[in-house]
């Protein structure tokens, strides 16, 4: 694995709060398109160049700038591409969600722009979703791209009908800021994380077609809430009695332990993530009081969402702020128990359970986990940034991981996967319907001149402050193969 901090002017040296890859992107040159959102109020589109391009011209940066989307009036906290298309949703401190799409054919940049400054791509807003009363910290698409869920610091999560630009339901069960949301790839539940130290899981109970949802009808229902769990611990000295001092003084005692950090955690985000097969839910901001390195990532199994976590990924020196599963599965492969090295793929390897990769980003480092290696990390990258990490994103084939930070820079990790990536699972019918909608959008855009979206004045909150790194020399990235 190779890791490099890309020294380009991402967002005018202001913090980068979010990153996401477009898994529907195709280009004759290859590469991967992704978006970033930052403290300069802009969304920017980039292309990560292929290894062949980088080797052919090593003096060029790893990324190519494609477009700048500048309708937001406050810092952009989250950008997310739809699973089945190149629709992009962005949101931030202005409380507005904007859904974007790249224009085609006649929607080219004005001819009076100087060619030197013309952007390779042009994007326009399709819809503006208004209704949140405060900053929006996170977004997640439904697997069919029809709905969005947003997390806001007004203590609510809102479910939106993306095509009709309307709020379907407001979830007001949390008592403090919502800082992360995730949508099940199978479409059956939504997970929310808040600084009230809880994780909540909502079951989808409404119709799948937005046109069948009547006003006032709930589409999700609370299924489980997680604040704490029972653990076994050594008894305290004052709990011993003279009668059992010699016999039962060492028996474990059951105690209740909080699962997550409280609202004193200095982070904007607690971003959960669900594995591509929907079987595992990874969470942020976990804590274990009985460990020296008490910061953990708790993982719930799909069939045990109402119970305690199935796995605890411990050992993080700083709190976990973001988790991200690679969007694809990989061919089954084993690990040699003697030397810890990957076993060479065999002819029958594809008959086993596919493996999956999870990136867990704490404020200072990123740990990589593989489901074929139990709960042990297979890699750790640290020393990349001066300030806290904010978000993570994988390419569609799991070959690259982008890491963003408040220091205004992003790093790219290139991974040599020991087995091939399997084709991403998608709902064919839903993708076909989205393609029909995209065709209709192109017809409408060609028949109408100008921008079809409506705009309204939005009050401008205060600009985000920038943590300074006054003339410091950038740190060299470090890599440790295993924890």
């Amino acid at each position: 694995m190779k890791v490099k901090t890309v020294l380009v002017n991402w967002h005018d040296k202001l913090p980068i709060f979010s990153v996401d890859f477009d898994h529907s992107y195709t280009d004759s040159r290859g590469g991967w398109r992704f978006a970033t959102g930052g403290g300069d109020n802009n969304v920017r589109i980039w292309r990560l160049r292929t290894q062949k391009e980088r080797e052919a011209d090593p003096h060029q940066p790893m990324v190519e700038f494609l477009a700048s989307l500048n309708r937001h009036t406050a810092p952009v906290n989250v950008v997310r591409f739809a699973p089945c298309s190149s629709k992009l949703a962005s949101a931030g401190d202005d409380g507005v969600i904007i859904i974007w799409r790249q224009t085609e054919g006649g929607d080219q940049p004005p001819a009076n722009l100087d060619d030197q400054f013309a952007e390779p791509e042009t994007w326009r807003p399709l819809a503006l979703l208004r209704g949140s009363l405060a900053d929006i910290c996170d977004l997640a698409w439904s697997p069919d791209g029809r709905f969005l869920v947003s997390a806001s610091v007004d203590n609510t999560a809102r479910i939106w009908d993306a095509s009709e630009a309307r709020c379907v339901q407001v979830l007001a069960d949390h008592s403090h800021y919502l800082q992360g949301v995730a949508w099940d790839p199978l479409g059956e539940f939504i997970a929310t994380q808040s600084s009230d130290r809880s994780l909540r899981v909502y079951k989808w109970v409404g119709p799948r077609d937005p046109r069948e949802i009547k006003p006032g009808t709930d589409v999700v229902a609370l299924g489980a809430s997680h604040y704490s769990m029972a653990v076994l611990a050594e008894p305290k000295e004052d709990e011993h009695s003279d009668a059992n001092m010699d016999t039962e003084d060492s028996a474990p005692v059951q105690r209740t332990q909080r699962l997550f950090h409280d609202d004193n955690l200095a982070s904007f985000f607690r971003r959960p993530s669900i594995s591509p097969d929907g079987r595992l839910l990874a969470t942020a901001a976990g804590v274990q009081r009985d460990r020296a390195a008490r910061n953990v990532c708790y993982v719930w199994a799909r069939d045990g969402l109402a119970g305690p976590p199935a796995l605890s990924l411990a050992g993080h020196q700083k709190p976990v702020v973001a988790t991200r599963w690679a969007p694809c599965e990989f061919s089954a492969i084993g690990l040699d128990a003697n030397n810890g090295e990957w076993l060479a793929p065999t002819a029958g390897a594809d008959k086993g359970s596919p493996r999956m990769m999870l990136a867990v980003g704490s404020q200072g480092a990123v740990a990589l986990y593989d489901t074929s290696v139990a709960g042990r990390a297979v890699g750790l990258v640290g020393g990349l940034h001066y300030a806290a990490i904010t978000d993570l994103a994988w390419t569609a084939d799991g070959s690259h991981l982008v890491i963003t930070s408040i220091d205004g820079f992003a790093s790219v990790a290139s991974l040599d996967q020991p087995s091939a990536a399997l084709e991403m699972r998608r709902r064919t019918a839903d993708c076909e319907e989205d393609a029909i909608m995209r065709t209709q959008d192109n017809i409408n855009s060609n028949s109408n001149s100008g921008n079809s979206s409506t705009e309204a004045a939005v009050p401008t909150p205060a600009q985000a402050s920038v943590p300074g790194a006054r003339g410091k020399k950038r740190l060299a990235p470090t890599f440790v193969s295993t924890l």
Side-chain angles (χ1 to χ4, degrees), residues 29 47 49-62:
R29 299 170 296 174
R47 187 179 73 91
R49 291 187 169 97
T50 62
Q51 183 64 33
K52 184 177 181 180
E53 288 180 277
R54 292 177 232 161
E55 293 174 353
D57 190 354
H59 299 291
Q60 289 291 331
M62 295 178 66

Side-chain angles (χ1 to χ4, degrees), residues 196-348:
D196 64 4
R197 309 184 76 172
S198 73
L199 165 73
R200 296 184 186 270
V201 180
Y202 296 86
K203 293 181 60 178
W204 185 269
V205 296
R208 301 291 181 180
D209 190 341
R211 294 167 293 186
E212 299 177 5
I213 299 176
K214 298 180 180 179
T217 303
D218 290 345
V219 293
V220 299
L222 182 61
S225 299
H226 296 286
Y227 292 92
S228 59
M229 67 177 178
V231 296
L232 295 178
E234 293 297 325
K236 298 179 180 178
E237 293 184 3
D238 57 2
E239 294 177 346
H240 298 317
S241 63
D242 294 338
N244 62 4
M245 183 68 70
D246 297 330
T247 58
E248 299 180 358
D249 59 350
S250 59
V253 176
Q254 182 170 300
R255 302 185 189 281
T256 300
Q257 173 184 284
R258 285 282 194 175
L259 288 170
F260 303 104
H261 280 280
D262 58 23
D263 56 2
N264 291 320
L265 176 62
S267 174
F268 294 113
F269 313 110
R270 304 179 184 219
R271 287 173 160 151
S273 179
I274 304 173
S275 61
D277 63 357
R279 291 188 301 167
L280 298 172
L281 165 63
T283 59
V287 61
Q288 283 185 342
R289 301 294 180 184
D290 58 343
R291 291 178 178 269
R294 62 178 189 163
N295 300 296
V296 301
C297 169
Y298 288 113
V299 180
W300 270 265
R302 185 185 190 85
D303 57 358
L305 290 174
L311 189 62
S312 172
L313 306 179
H316 305 277
Q317 298 301 314
K318 293 184 178 181
V320 175
V321 296
T323 63
R324 202 68 178 266
W325 290 91
C328 60
E329 297 174 321
F330 301 88
S331 301
I333 196 172
L335 194 73
D336 193 320
N338 297 322
N339 55 22
E341 295 182 356
W342 296 107
L343 297 173
T346 61

